Amino acid sequence: MVKRLITRSLCCTLLFGWLGIGQAATGEVRLKDLGTFLGWRDNMLVGYGIVSGLAGSGDTPRNQATRQAITNMMSQFDLNLTQDQLQSRNVAMVMITASLPPSANVGQKIDVNVTSMGDARSLGGGTLIMTPLRGPDRKVYALAQGPVTVGGYRYDANGNLRQKNHPTVGIVPDGGVVEVAVRADLVTEDGYLNFVLKHADATTAERIAQRINQTMGGGSARSVDADTVQIRAPGESRSLNQYVASIETLSVVPDQDSRVVINERTGTVVAGGDTRISPITISHGDIRVTVATQYSVSQPDLIGVTGPGVRSLVVGNSEMSVDETGQTVAASYPHGSVGELVQALSKSRVSTRDVIAILEAIKAAGALHADIIVQ
């Protein structure tokens, strides 16, 4: 346990020492990594179908929805069966989900996820029957079919059960085929592109607008709010795809909020190198209270004499000791950073969990100019 705390403290010291370089170490980041253009997003597809070919691990006959789905499917092949005639456990009703890219052509293949909707025990070895995948507008955009790959298993025999992962969830690689072409509409009606930041920040949005104006010409972009930069669309003489690609490759230095992230379960502390601390003195003490109990047995004077009230007596003697070790005192320098403070505490052999408690106390005292996020 002591070795683990020392290792965590050393890792934390190295991490803060590396982050303590300051804002000068913050490099430029591509706009492609800071946000996306409004309208460039994936499209969710969903459908329900049937997985067949299961080795007795499908839905039970009491699942009425599965029997109804099988009846509907067989009626398409001019085979009329009643639900009472369907007693197979080799079929399972499933829900299929997929993600359609922002730009997709007819015939393009996509992966589909398959999840059981009934009481099937496993989808391993099954094959998904052709199923239409619909969008929010109820239109069919893709068709899904193929063998289901399950990253687990379930074997149940004579009361013995062996299971790994979730065998009722699977995937059909390249099992979906796009039937309707999709194109992302990036240009608004008034002829602008909207670049949306992943993390809203007014300073970063203004820097992006200035960088675009320096490269594409004055008046090409302006920051609308903390998370949107409005960019003038190119004319007919220039390709929209070429224009978007040239903007995405531009780089700026994003502004960062001062935050200290604390994970009390693992003892991890992460902070930016520019997180400042006002001059403050820390007094950290450690008091250990130990209670030791010794038990002794008092036997009757005459061995072998029995009777009412004659029995052995267990006597417990407790001893309590208090061990107060020397206090650890650390003082940060004027305009110091969190990294410098943690290095000073580490040299004083303060454990990582104690560092977390100290940082929370500094925040409560108003000397830590950052937001503390506890996970």
Side-chain angles (χ1 to χ4, degrees):
M1 183 64 181
V2 176
K3 182 178 180 181
R4 182 180 300 176
L5 290 176
I6 294 176
T7 303
R8 287 180 177 175
S9 181
L10 178 59
C11 293
C12 186
T13 303
L14 294 176
L15 178 61
F16 276 105
W18 179 71
L19 292 175
I21 299 176
Q23 189 176 1
T26 303
E28 293 186 346
V29 182
R30 297 183 308 169
L31 298 188
K32 190 174 185 178
D33 301 325
L34 294 177
T36 58
F37 286 94
L38 185 64
W40 188 264
R41 64 177 181 85
D42 293 339
N43 303 279
M44 301 295 104
L45 301 179
V46 66
Y48 85 94
I50 295 176
V51 172
S52 62
L54 304 176
S57 60
D59 295 339
T60 59
R62 64 174 177 269
N63 196 319
Q64 298 295 331
T66 302
R67 298 166 67 180
Q68 180 65 46
I70 298 175
T71 302
N72 296 340
M73 183 190 68
M74 299 305 295
S75 64
Q76 300 178 10
F77 300 96
D78 299 329
L79 183 60
N80 297 322
L81 297 175
T82 62
Q83 295 187 15
D84 296 335
Q85 296 174 318
L86 301 174
Q87 301 295 330
S88 174
R89 288 208 59 182
N90 297 339
V91 181
M93 188 173 65
V94 295
M95 182 67 71
I96 303 106
T97 59
S99 179
L100 190 64
S103 178
N105 297 316
V106 176
Q108 182 176 344
K109 294 185 177 181
I110 57 177
D111 296 338
V112 296
N113 299 315
V114 181
T115 58
S116 174
M117 296 178 61
D119 53 0
R121 293 176 297 183
S122 176
L123 300 179
T127 300
L128 176 66
I129 308 300
M130 186 177 63
T131 303
L133 300 180
R134 305 176 185 271
D137 55 359
R138 305 292 299 171
K139 294 182 180 180
V140 177
Y141 288 91
L143 297 177
Q145 180 174 279
V148 181
T149 301
V150 179
Y153 58 81
R154 176 189 170 102
Y155 299 104
D156 187 2
N158 300 326
N160 298 319
L161 175 63
R162 292 294 182 271
Q163 179 175 334
K164 179 181 180 181
N165 297 335
H166 299 278
T168 55
V169 178
I171 185 174
V172 183
D174 292 337
V177 180
V178 178
E179 297 295 330
V180 178
V182 177
R183 292 289 181 269
D185 189 9
L186 302 181
V187 182
T188 60
E189 295 180 356
D190 51 355
Y192 284 94
L193 298 169
N194 291 322
F195 184 81
V196 181
L197 277 70
K198 296 179 181 178
H199 304 284
D201 186 87
T203 303
T204 303
E206 186 62 27
R207 291 177 182 176
I208 292 176
Q210 294 177 1
R211 184 71 176 89
I212 295 176
N213 289 328
Q214 292 175 359
T215 305
M216 303 299 177
S220 299
R222 66 184 183 92
S223 58
V224 179
D225 48 35
D227 61 352
T228 305
V229 177
Q230 195 174 66
I231 307 170
R232 188 180 302 275
E236 297 180 356
S237 60
R238 189 171 186 181
S239 160
L240 177 62
N241 186 66
Q242 181 183 4
Y243 187 73
V244 171
S246 60
I247 293 178
E248 289 181 338
T249 56
L250 298 178
S251 300
V252 297
V253 178
D255 193 64
Q256 297 180 351
D257 296 333
S258 297
R259 294 180 180 178
V260 178
V261 182
I262 298 175
N263 192 322
E264 293 185 338
R265 297 186 300 272
T266 61
T268 304
V269 181
V270 180
D274 56 347
T275 304
R276 316 305 296 176
I277 295 180
S278 299
I280 191 172
T281 301
I282 302 171
S283 178
H284 179 71
D286 187 12
I287 299 178
R288 295 182 179 180
V289 179
T290 304
V291 179
T293 304
Q294 294 182 352
Y295 295 95
S296 59
V297 181
S298 176
Q299 299 289 353
D301 293 337
L302 298 178
I303 303 300
V305 177
T306 60
V310 180
R311 59 184 179 85
S312 300
L313 179 63
V314 179
V315 179
N317 297 319
S318 299
E319 180 181 358
M320 182 177 65
S321 61
V322 179
D323 181 16
E324 183 176 2
T325 59
Q327 291 183 339
T328 301
V329 179
S332 65
Y333 299 97
H335 307 291
S337 64
V338 175
E340 295 173 349
L341 174 62
V342 173
Q343 287 181 356
L345 295 177
S346 179
K347 292 179 181 179
S348 302
R349 297 183 178 181
V350 178
S351 66
T352 306
R353 297 192 181 277
D354 291 337
V355 170
I356 294 175
I358 291 174
L359 290 176
E360 292 177 343
I362 295 176
K363 174 65 177 178
L368 177 58
H369 307 294
D371 296 329
I372 292 183
I373 301 176
V374 181
Q375 296 180 343

